[in-house]
Amino acid sequence: MRQRAELFAGFAALIVLGVIAALAGGSGEAATSTEFVPSTFVATPGGAEGLLDAITRLGIPIRRWRERPVGLASYASMPRQIMVILEPDLAHPISAPELLQLANYSATSDLLIAGHTADHLMRCFGYKVDWHPFDSVRVSGLGSNPPKVGANLVATNATTFADTTRTFDVGRAVCHVPVYQSVTTLLDSPRGPLVIRLVRSDNGRQIILAADAGLFSNRDLRSTGAGVFVLGLFAGRYDRVTFDEYHHGYGGSGSLFAATVAWSRDSPWGWMAWQLAGVGVLALLFGAVRFGPAIPAIVRRRRSALEHVRALATALSAAHGHDEAVAALIQGLRRRLAPPALRTRSDWRRWLDHLMARSRSTDERAAIARLQTLAEPGQPSSSVLDAANTVEELWQKLHP
């Protein structure tokens, strides 16, 4: 009856834990993530995989750059190529040395830079981002369904920009703002330009600056007028488009474990796996609790040497080896009592006679005499057990 009650209690606890884990694991939000991550590896509304697919459908080759910008120096240049940098992740920002590498790369390739987290790179080209996190900027020129943006561009009117974030180890990174032959506002707002195109005077390369990277997200490309505008920046203009994915955390240093954990946070299947793991751990902890008193252990006493001798004597007696058993017992006593120099294979009967002659105690002489009698042929089966007891008695009396 007690076992049934314990089994029922265990199943009830498991069901309760499963319900608690399901309620705790459910976020109450939609299964599709709304987080803004403008990466071409992300297919959610806040990702940029739709932009990559659309450019591919236009017949333009694409590449995802997942290395440090220092490798761009060996990247084959083309007359019509552009590198797209969409709002670097705060956990993987553009460092001061990388700032100079990307600024110098504009001498061999066009650049598209978007997002307020790339503000210090835009300053190398004479502009900064005026960000309005709690207020949207009205977009002009995108029809009746314009996207919502939260920033605009402002000219710095500076000729140089110094990044001092790595002064302690690599020093100041200073970039010089190039001279432009033309500055064109591609997308405007009452607060200032949202997207501009800069054309360098020295090499004719173009730099496109966008204040808000949300214009390139899957959501805005599909549901607002930003889709036609953004694709017009690439269609018929370039033979290759390169997307910077290193500053979104997709560099070679990433791990499969980190990617798996990130997927499990955003996927319903991942939530289910975490809930099942939590239920299993809690069930294991609850199963470790013992119900009822502890079962007393069986005390097993170790057998004495005399018990082993008696067991051997009984076994030999059952095999009708009385004489051999008694002789073996006496020889074992001789091995324990005689010095190593006197342990020979001589007749044990003579050794008993010699032991009788040396003995001065009446009890010892009686025990030796009884042992000599038991060693004679024709004794009953009980003689083996008597001999074992006599040998043990002599050992207790004679051993030093």
Side-chain angles (χ1 to χ4, degrees):
M1 188 66 181
R2 180 181 298 176
Q3 292 181 352
R4 291 184 180 180
E6 292 178 359
L7 185 62
F8 175 77
F11 275 113
L14 182 61
I15 293 174
V16 171
L17 291 175
V19 173
I20 294 175
L23 294 177
S27 59
E29 301 177 355
T32 303
S33 174
T34 58
E35 184 180 3
F36 178 59
V37 183
S39 168
T40 59
F41 287 104
V42 180
T44 58
E49 187 182 38
L51 176 61
L52 182 140
D53 293 340
I55 294 175
T56 303
R57 291 178 180 271
L58 292 175
I60 304 176
I62 59 95
R63 179 176 180 180
R64 291 172 167 129
W65 186 261
R66 301 176 59 183
E67 304 175 19
R68 293 183 179 275
V70 66
L72 291 171
S74 60
Y75 190 34
S77 62
M78 298 176 63
R80 301 201 312 167
Q81 68 174 3
I82 186 171
M83 184 169 190
V84 181
I85 305 171
L86 300 178
E87 192 156 330
D89 187 47
L90 292 176
H92 305 85
I94 299 176
S95 64
E98 296 171 347
L99 188 74
L100 296 179
Q101 294 161 4
L102 291 173
N104 294 333
Y105 187 61
S106 66
T108 57
S109 172
D110 291 0
L111 293 180
L112 191 156
I113 309 169
H116 68 279
T117 57
D119 175 80
H120 55 314
L121 179 58
M122 294 186 188
R123 290 174 183 265
C124 287
F125 299 101
Y127 285 82
K128 66 179 180 178
V129 176
D130 187 11
W131 190 33
H132 310 282
F134 305 107
D135 188 15
S136 61
V137 179
R138 185 165 55 88
V139 181
S140 305
L142 289 184
S144 60
N145 188 22
K148 294 181 179 180
V149 298
N152 61 278
L153 297 172
V154 177
T156 61
N157 299 320
T159 57
T160 61
F161 170 68
D163 189 338
T164 59
T165 57
R166 295 288 297 273
T167 306
F168 66 95
D169 58 349
V170 298
R172 299 169 70 247
V174 179
C175 55
H176 299 274
V177 178
V179 179
Y180 304 114
Q181 65 181 17
S182 66
V183 178
T184 306
T185 299
L186 303 179
L187 198 61
D188 202 2
S189 75
R191 291 189 175 182
L194 302 178
V195 181
I196 61 175
R197 177 184 284 119
L198 310 174
V199 182
R200 296 180 55 153
S201 300
D202 51 357
N203 52 30
R205 287 295 184 179
Q206 299 183 10
I207 299 97
I208 300 175
L209 303 180
D212 195 334
L215 295 169
F216 304 88
S217 66
N218 297 330
R219 182 192 299 105
D220 285 2
L221 289 180
R222 180 177 181 179
S223 58
T224 69
V228 176
F229 168 76
V230 169
L231 292 181
L233 299 176
F234 302 95
R237 296 177 179 273
Y238 297 104
D239 298 325
R240 182 173 64 189
V241 178
T242 303
F243 288 93
D244 174 33
E245 293 295 345
Y246 178 82
H247 294 101
H248 289 140
Y250 292 96
S253 60
S255 65
L256 179 61
F257 175 76
T260 303
V261 172
W263 168 83
S264 67
R265 291 198 308 264
D266 301 329
S267 172
W269 295 101
W271 268 110
M272 184 179 69
W274 282 113
Q275 291 171 15
L276 290 177
V279 170
V281 171
L282 292 176
L284 182 63
L285 294 177
F286 273 83
V289 177
R290 178 176 300 176
F291 296 96
I295 300 175
I298 301 175
V299 179
R300 301 189 180 275
R301 187 174 56 85
R302 201 176 163 82
R303 290 186 176 182
S304 64
L306 181 59
E307 288 179 316
H308 285 283
V309 172
R310 288 178 178 174
L312 177 61
T314 303
L316 291 175
S317 175
H320 300 287
H322 311 154
D323 299 339
E324 294 296 331
V326 173
L329 291 171
I330 297 174
Q331 290 175 356
L333 180 62
R334 182 179 62 175
R335 282 195 301 272
R336 288 187 289 173
L337 291 178
L342 300 178
R343 293 176 186 174
T344 62
R345 295 183 178 273
S346 60
D347 186 9
W348 51 270
R349 297 179 184 273
R350 294 179 57 187
W351 176 77
L352 280 179
D353 296 338
H354 178 69
L355 189 62
M356 176 68 80
R358 284 193 315 159
S359 179
R360 300 181 183 275
S361 172
T362 305
D363 294 338
E364 294 177 3
R365 297 173 65 86
I368 295 172
R370 186 166 63 253
L371 196 58
Q372 289 175 333
T373 303
L374 293 173
E376 295 178 358
Q379 298 295 321
S381 59
S382 60
S383 61
V384 178
L385 184 57
D386 294 340
N389 292 331
T390 305
V391 165
E392 184 65 23
E393 182 182 348
L394 279 174
W395 165 250
Q396 297 294 334
K397 296 179 179 296
L398 298 177
H399 80 278

